[in-house]
DNA sequence: CTACGCGCTCG
DNA sequence: CGAGCGCGTAG
């Protein structure tokens, strides 16, 4: 069963509906955890979301993908100027309700259904709460609202949302491509860089050119499979290309791993990261059975069982087992903190 | 349309 | 006690 959520997003409503996403910081301004930001990465593909703004629920959304790390959308403009520059981006496919619903009008019905904690609206008055962003709601709350906003009721609407969202919704791939495109334009127009450097930085986006040579000088094998055949290896940024601050960072061989295509995807997407001693860690969001299907799941899922799978002892697999250099650790710390979906 | 208090809830 | 993607009102 999909989980049901409610998001109060008056300030960014128009941008997030139009763009088919939700965005939030990862932490509060003072660095503390925020349960509503944590909800962003708890959301699972297929979950359903009610959009609340200006006292109205006008859209229902379906979560398309797990949240991933992305810069604050530029279209926010001055809104949320104090929010962090990097946060969670959750792809959500939005569908408008036939008729907008004013929860305040339904408060008598909703009151007994609302959660005691983290309720998105006040039980007494039906007014929205500023402190709440993305919050879990019981299914009956979702059903009451959707039934009030559609002629056919929520079951039929769920089916409609689930079906229509397939073809033209956002995906991590598409969003990353757009973000990369925007960065590439800025690089191409950066007159502080000479032409040769600009070309190298742009080629580094695809793991090609000088960046690949630099990485390959440091890393000879895939950290997950142990494969050394260069034809099977992709030069993958540890700190993502789009989130690097400078050209040297984008070209630094210490900011890369040589990975096979599946490993590159898992690492890039934040489903796998590494500790400084070389141990891989797998996201709790990732189905461990899929690791096995990819040929990565051995007897010890927490270490991926790589050496066992290859019939090696840990000592016999120096590339896979070896720790990172200090320069690599700095980038990997960033990956664990900002990219990894814990 | 943005800006600024005023609230309240929760850590 | 203060942070926070709302509410109401002012310009």
């Amino acid at each position: 069963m999909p989980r049901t959520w409610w998001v109060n997003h008056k300030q960014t409503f128009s941008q997030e509906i139009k763009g088919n996403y939700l965005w939030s910081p990862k932490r509060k301004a003072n660095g503390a955890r925020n349960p509503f930001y944590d909800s962003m990465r708890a959301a699972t593909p297929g979950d359903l979301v009610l959009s609340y703004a200006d006292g109205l629920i006008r859209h229902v959304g379906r979560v398309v993908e797990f949240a991933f790390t992305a810069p604050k959308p530029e279209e926010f403009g001055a809104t949320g100027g104090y929010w962090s520059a990097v946060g969670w981006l959750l792809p959500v496919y939005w569908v408008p309700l036939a008729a907008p619903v004013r929860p305040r009008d339904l408060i008598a019905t909703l009151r007994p259904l609302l959660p005691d904690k983290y309720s998105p609206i006040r039980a007494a008055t039906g007014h929205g709460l500023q402190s709440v962003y993305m919050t879990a709601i019981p299914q009956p709350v979702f059903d009451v609202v959707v039934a009030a906003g559609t002629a056919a009721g929520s079951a039929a609407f769920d089916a409609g949302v689930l079906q229509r969202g397939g073809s033209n919704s956002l995906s991590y791939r598409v969003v990353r491509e757009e973000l990369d495109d925007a960065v590439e334009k800025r690089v191409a127009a950066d007159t502080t860089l000479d032409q040769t450097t600009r070309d190298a930085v742009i080629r580094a986006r695809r793991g090609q050119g000088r960046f690949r040579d630099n990485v390959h000088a440091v890393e000879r094998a895939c950290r997950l499979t142990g494969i050394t055949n260069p034809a099977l290896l992709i030069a993958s940024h540890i700190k993502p290309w789009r989130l690097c601050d400078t050209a040297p960072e984008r070209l630094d061989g210490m900011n890369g791993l040589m990975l096979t295509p599946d490993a590159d995807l898992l690492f890039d997407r934040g489903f796998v990261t590494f500790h400084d001693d070389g141990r891989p860690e797998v996201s709790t969001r990732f189905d461990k059975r899929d690791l096995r299907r990819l040929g990565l799941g051995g007897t010890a899922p927490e270490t991926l069982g790589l050496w066992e799978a290859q019939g090696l002892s840990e000592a016999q697999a120096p590339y896979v087992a070896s720790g990172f250099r200090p320069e690599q650790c700095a980038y990997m710390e960033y990956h664990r903190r900002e990219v990894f979906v814990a």
Side-chain angles (χ1 to χ4, degrees), chain A residues 33-92:
Chain A
R33 296 189 79 94
N34 180 325
F36 310 110
Y37 299 160
D38 289 343
S39 296
M40 293 286 281
R41 72 164 194 205
T44 299
D47 288 357
L48 298 168
V49 192
L50 297 176
S51 155
Y52 176 90
D54 305 311
L56 295 173
I57 289 175
R58 280 169 283 194
H59 299 265
V60 177
R62 179 173 56 80
V63 175
V64 178
E65 281 216 45
F66 290 115
F68 53 87
T69 298
K72 178 165 59 181
E74 289 186 12
E75 62 262 31
F76 282 8
T79 304
Y82 56 91
W83 292 334
S84 58
V86 170
W88 294 118
L89 180 60
L90 184 72
V92 179

Side-chain angles (χ1 to χ4, degrees), chain A residues 101-159:
Chain A
V101 176
R102 188 176 296 276
R104 209 181 312 166
D105 298 341
L106 304 173
I107 193 59
T109 311
L110 291 174
R111 188 174 293 125
L113 306 175
L114 293 171
D116 296 332
K117 244 168 75 169
Y118 304 141
S119 174
I121 57 175
R122 209 173 318 156
T125 63
H127 282 220
L129 291 169
Q130 177 184 5
S131 54
V132 173
Y133 183 57
M134 178 87 155
T135 188
I137 53 165
Q139 171 108 29
V141 174
F142 180 90
D143 288 340
V144 165
V145 170
V146 171
T150 58
S154 75
F157 189 82
D158 290 0

Side-chain angles (χ1 to χ4, degrees), chain A residues 3-22:
Chain A
R3 297 184 68 186
T4 42
W5 304 90
W6 175 313
V7 65
N8 289 348
H9 62 153
K10 173 181 181 173
Q11 294 183 53
T12 53
F13 162 79
S14 59
Q15 296 93 328
E16 292 180 327
I17 294 295
K18 191 176 174 201
N20 278 318
Y21 66 87
L22 289 172

Side-chain angles (χ1 to χ4, degrees), chain A residues 190-244:
Chain A
D190 186 347
T191 52
T192 68
L193 303 173
D194 60 74
Q195 186 62 42
T196 312
T197 305
R198 283 202 293 265
D199 290 346
V201 169
I202 288 169
R203 297 196 74 195
R205 170 183 174 181
R206 314 281 181 191
Q208 296 171 334
R210 199 198 305 175
F211 172 69
R212 184 187 167 100
D213 294 340
N214 292 347
V215 176
H216 200 238
V218 182
E219 295 274 316
R220 308 297 293 186
C222 173
R223 290 263 176 176
L224 291 186
T225 62
I227 283 173
T228 57
N229 181 349
L232 297 176
L233 295 176
I234 296 167
S236 183
H237 283 85
I238 300 172
K239 180 176 180 178
W241 184 85
R242 67 181 176 279
L243 297 173
C244 285

Side-chain angles (χ1 to χ4, degrees), chain A residues 138-189:
Chain A
Q139 171 108 29
V141 174
F142 180 90
D143 288 340
V144 165
V145 170
V146 171
T150 58
S154 75
F157 189 82
D158 290 0
V161 171
L162 290 168
Q163 280 176 7
R164 278 181 286 167
S167 56
N168 59 347
S169 55
L170 284 180
S171 69
Y172 170 71
R173 253 170 200 276
V174 169
V175 172
R176 193 196 65 177
E177 203 71 4
E178 286 173 357
L179 294 169
D180 282 0
D181 285 348
V183 172
E184 183 170 320
K185 271 186 191 146
R186 288 205 289 275
V187 170

